């Protein structure tokens, strides 16, 4: 969300973005290739607008300027790609540009993308990527800075209106490539296309019968999950457990519910001191939180939790095996039809931090331009259309772009009407959106570090001492992230 993502009913009606989150080996391999390339002399720095091919574009903007050209796209098999294909005729008629789309399954998409970018051949002009991938693909110079294109009125239609994007989604695609530096700045390495925030979805019928209410604190969440696990069977809900969260030894286990609650508790993954990243997941407060999280899952989670990905966790909610899911909001959204839980689900922001924080981590599917493309102008014509109000309104109301990246789409009556059947989905989205952002510290070893973090979480779940396990993790990571 994945993180994220298309979750269908337990009958398995579709595709999913987040299956890629099940394949840490693929994602980690993609990530690991970048430091290797840097060691071989392929490292790059953030460019300046003066270097941009966008500066060659002059005159008045014309959608037909690149009529007859072909833009080559490398895409993940995903509902966002399906929406694009369903709407491509409108783009091709509007511009005269032909789209050549190559799709690959999520299980090997990032392998394919990494090989393409490493080759610097420019075989594809644009592609899908996530915010964390900017931290891998940006430093070697694989990504075109899109800000000069946005700023050039000769290259960008007046109706594009970048200020219409939720600002935290734009910021997620900005970074200066310095480990530990916050997101933001003058370079825009990707444009948001679709995303997921992380919230709690729960069975309202179970809560009503057991006299429960959605938890407002982390301790209440633990207590609620425990009460459901102990009482569900006698209340007629069968062998239902309290809460579903991810647990596999993959980076994706850390970023949805776990990182969201971690951030709300005021905790950070790293701190920057004297130019070095200092791991903070072994602070006393982080140890206490992690120990509680692992115990919550052990007492009120599923059997076999250490193999749980987004798919198992969300499917358990839909099948009636779990009463709560703390994960991507749309992971639950697609369990609200054609499943035993359909029509019984409701959304809630989830527990607040001690200071009332609703800091929430997110996953973004974005579009980027290949810095090696020799067809950048036509590629930019595509990128601005694919992230335009026109296309995203269509995708959000007619297809499966559920969490809207533009404020105009999220506020439209048609969008809200479509989502109104999902109890409190829109209200929850609107409540957490102002504090939804990338909660991790940007750094090039992100995938390696978070996969190791997930392994440590598994060890604590299996009975290892939380303090000692996290001390070892922190000691191991310090050298790796600063290497």
């Amino acid at each position: 969300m994945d993180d994220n993502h298309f979750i269908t009913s337990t009958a398995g009606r579709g595709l999913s973005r987040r299956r890629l989150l099940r394949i840490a080996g693929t994602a980690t391999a993609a990530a690991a290739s970048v430091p290797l390339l840097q060691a071989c002399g392929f490292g790059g720095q953030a460019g300046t607008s003066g270097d941009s091919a966008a500066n060659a574009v002059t005159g008045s903007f014309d959608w037909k300027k690149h009529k007859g050209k072909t833009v080559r796209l490398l895409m993940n098999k995903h509902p966002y790609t399906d929406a694009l294909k369903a709407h491509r005729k409108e783009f091709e008629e509007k511009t005269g540009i032909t789209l050549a789309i190559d799709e690959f399954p999520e299980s090997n998409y990032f392998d394919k993308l990494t090989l393409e970018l490493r080759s610097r051949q420019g075989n594809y002009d644009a592609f899908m990527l996530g915010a964390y991938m900017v931290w891998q693909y940006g430093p070697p110079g694989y990504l075109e800075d899109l800000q000069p294109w946005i700023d050039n009125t000769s290259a960008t239609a007046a109706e594009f209106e970048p200020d219409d994007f939720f600002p935290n989604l734009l910021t997620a695609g900005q970074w200066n490539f310095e480990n530990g530096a916050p997101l933001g700045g003058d370079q825009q390495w990707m444009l948001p296309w679709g995303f997921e925030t992380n919230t709690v979805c729960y069975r309202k019928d179970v809560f009503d019968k057991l006299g429960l209410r959605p938890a407002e604190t982390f301790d209440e969440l633990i207590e609620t999950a425990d009460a459901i696990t102990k009482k569900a069977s006698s209340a007629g809900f069968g062998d239902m457990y309290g809460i579903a969260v991810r647990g596999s030894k993959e980076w994706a286990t850390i970023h949805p519910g776990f990182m969201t609650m971690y951030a709300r508790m005021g905790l950070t993954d790293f701190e920057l001191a004297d130019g070095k990243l200092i791991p903070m997941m072994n602070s006393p407060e982080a140890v206490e939180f992690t120990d509680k999280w692992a115990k919550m899952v052990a007492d009120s989670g599923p059997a076999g939790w250490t193999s749980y990905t987004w798919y198992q966790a969300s499917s358990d909610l839909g099948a009636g095996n779990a009463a709560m899911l703390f994960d991507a909001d749309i992971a639950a959204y697609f369990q609200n039809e054609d499943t035993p839980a359909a029509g019984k689900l409701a959304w809630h922001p989830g527990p607040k931090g001690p200071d009332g924080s609703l800091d929430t981590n997110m996953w973004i599917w974005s579009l980027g331009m290949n810095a090696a493309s020799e067809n950048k102008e036509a590629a930019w014509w595509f990128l601005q259309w694919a992230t335009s109000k026109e296309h995203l309104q269509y995708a959000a109301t007619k297809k499966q772009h559920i969490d809207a990246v533009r404020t105009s789409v999220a506020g439209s009556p048609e969008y809200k009407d479509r989502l109104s059947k999902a109890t409190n989905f829109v209200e929850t989205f609107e409540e957490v959106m102002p504090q939804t952002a990338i909660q991790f510290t940007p750094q090039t070893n992100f995938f390696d570090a978070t996969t190791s973090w997930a392994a440590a979480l598994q060890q604590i779940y299996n009975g290892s001492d939380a303090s000692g396990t996290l001390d070892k993790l922190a000691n191991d990571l310090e050298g790796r992230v600063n290497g």
Side-chain angles (χ1 to χ4, degrees):
M1 206 292 62
D2 137 191
D3 50 318
N4 267 278
H5 174 114
F6 181 59
I7 299 177
T8 59
S9 72
T10 49
R13 280 188 300 107
L15 305 169
S16 106
R17 185 275 291 181
R18 287 188 173 244
R19 189 168 304 156
L20 76 93
L21 304 184
R22 302 173 62 187
I23 53 164
T26 296
T28 304
S33 66
V34 175
L36 178 63
L37 288 172
Q38 289 174 307
C40 295
F42 284 95
Q45 299 297 322
T48 65
S49 61
D51 303 325
S52 177
N55 296 330
V57 184
T58 59
S60 59
F61 179 81
D62 180 5
W63 277 112
K64 293 284 191 180
K65 181 176 182 179
H66 299 290
K67 181 179 179 180
K69 291 188 177 180
T70 297
V71 172
R72 298 156 299 172
L73 306 177
L74 181 59
M75 309 296 279
N76 179 27
K77 285 185 178 293
H78 191 281
Y80 297 168
T81 305
D82 293 341
L84 170 64
K85 291 189 297 183
H87 210 204
R88 70 190 294 177
K89 182 179 179 182
E90 281 72 9
F91 170 76
E92 292 178 343
E93 290 179 349
K94 185 171 188 171
T95 64
I97 297 170
T98 298
L99 295 180
I101 303 173
D102 282 352
E103 293 179 85
F104 291 88
E106 294 136 349
S107 58
N108 65 354
Y109 170 73
F110 278 109
D111 281 341
K112 183 72 176 178
L113 177 58
T114 300
L115 290 172
E116 162 63 20
L117 296 177
R118 287 177 65 178
S119 77
R120 299 181 186 265
Q121 301 268 324
N123 296 312
Y124 295 96
D125 303 305
F127 46 83
M128 292 170 67
L129 76 165
Y132 309 131
M133 287 74 189
V134 168
W135 307 348
Q136 308 303 320
Y137 298 145
Y142 295 158
L143 303 178
E144 175 79 4
D145 179 9
L146 302 179
Q147 194 62 49
W149 297 90
I150 295 171
D151 292 340
N152 186 346
T153 57
S154 296
T156 302
E159 64 267 25
F160 180 66
E161 294 186 30
D163 290 345
D164 184 50
F165 289 107
F166 284 105
N168 39 2
L169 301 183
L170 275 180
T171 300
Q174 301 164 355
W175 191 40
N176 67 4
F177 303 159
E178 295 178 10
N179 266 3
L183 297 175
D186 298 329
Q187 285 90 26
Q188 188 73 47
W189 303 111
M190 63 183 195
L191 287 176
W193 204 28
F195 84 108
E196 302 152 18
T197 187
N198 290 290
T199 60
V200 171
C201 184
Y202 65 97
R203 283 281 297 269
K204 55 188 176 181
D205 57 330
V206 175
F207 274 58
D208 288 346
K209 190 162 186 178
L210 296 180
L212 300 171
R213 61 189 179 93
E216 297 294 340
T217 69
F218 183 40
D219 285 342
E220 286 182 9
L221 181 69
I222 295 170
E223 293 165 3
T224 301
D226 181 64
I228 293 167
T229 303
K230 290 176 177 176
K231 298 176 182 179
S233 180
S234 61
F237 295 106
D239 190 20
M240 177 181 285
Y241 64 88
I243 187 164
V245 295
R246 302 187 205 188
S248 61
K249 192 167 66 175
E250 304 169 72
W251 69 271
T253 285
I254 299 299
H255 91 86
F258 180 90
M259 192 61 187
T260 293
M261 197 69 246
Y262 186 90
R264 291 179 183 182
M265 298 299 289
L267 304 171
T268 59
D269 53 352
F270 295 92
E271 288 186 356
L272 191 64
D274 297 324
K276 291 184 62 179
L277 286 173
I278 308 301
M280 297 302 294
M281 58 281 294
N282 67 330
S283 71
E285 297 81 6
V287 170
E288 180 184 8
F289 167 79
T290 308
D291 201 33
K292 280 187 171 184
W293 183 274
K295 189 174 187 304
M296 175 184 73
V297 179
D299 293 343
S300 306
W305 173 75
T306 54
S307 67
Y308 263 55
T309 66
W310 69 266
Y311 181 81
Q312 285 79 16
S314 60
S315 294
D316 272 8
L317 178 73
N321 297 326
M324 290 186 287
L325 174 69
F326 198 169
D327 205 291
D329 54 353
I330 69 171
Y333 180 86
F334 290 108
Q335 296 296 335
N336 204 32
E337 56 184 30
D338 302 329
T339 70
K344 303 172 183 177
L345 299 177
W347 280 257
H348 182 264
K352 298 179 176 67
D355 61 354
S357 168
L358 279 177
D359 286 347
T360 302
N361 197 47
M362 65 178 171
W363 166 269
I364 310 175
W365 266 122
S366 294
L367 294 174
M369 188 191 300
N370 190 347
S373 169
E374 296 183 359
N375 193 28
K376 290 180 180 178
E377 288 191 27
W380 174 245
W381 261 237
F382 162 74
L383 288 175
Q384 62 178 301
W385 177 86
T387 58
S388 68
K389 296 179 183 180
E390 173 191 357
H391 175 65
L392 293 178
Q393 178 73 16
Y394 165 85
T397 57
K398 306 296 184 185
K399 297 299 177 180
Q400 302 294 359
H401 282 243
I402 300 304
D403 283 353
V405 300
R406 282 185 172 270
T407 60
S408 60
V409 176
S412 70
E414 297 85 356
Y415 176 78
K416 290 186 176 182
D417 181 65
R418 178 184 186 182
L419 299 179
S420 63
K421 298 179 181 64
T423 303
N424 293 330
F425 185 94
V426 170
E427 295 82 354
T428 296
F429 176 87
E430 291 176 345
E431 186 171 356
V432 302
M433 193 58 210
Q435 290 176 259
T436 294
I438 300 296
Q439 302 295 338
F440 292 97
T441 301
Q443 48 101 4
T444 56
N445 277 303
F446 169 80
F447 294 104
D448 175 56
T450 44
T451 300
S452 296
W453 198 352
L457 182 59
Q458 282 193 355
Q459 292 169 20
I460 296 166
Y461 168 84
N462 285 323
S464 294
D465 173 68
S467 180
T469 300
L470 293 171
D471 278 344
K472 184 178 186 305
L473 172 68
N475 289 335
D476 288 346
L477 290 182
E478 186 165 358
R480 283 150 55 187
V481 300
N482 291 299

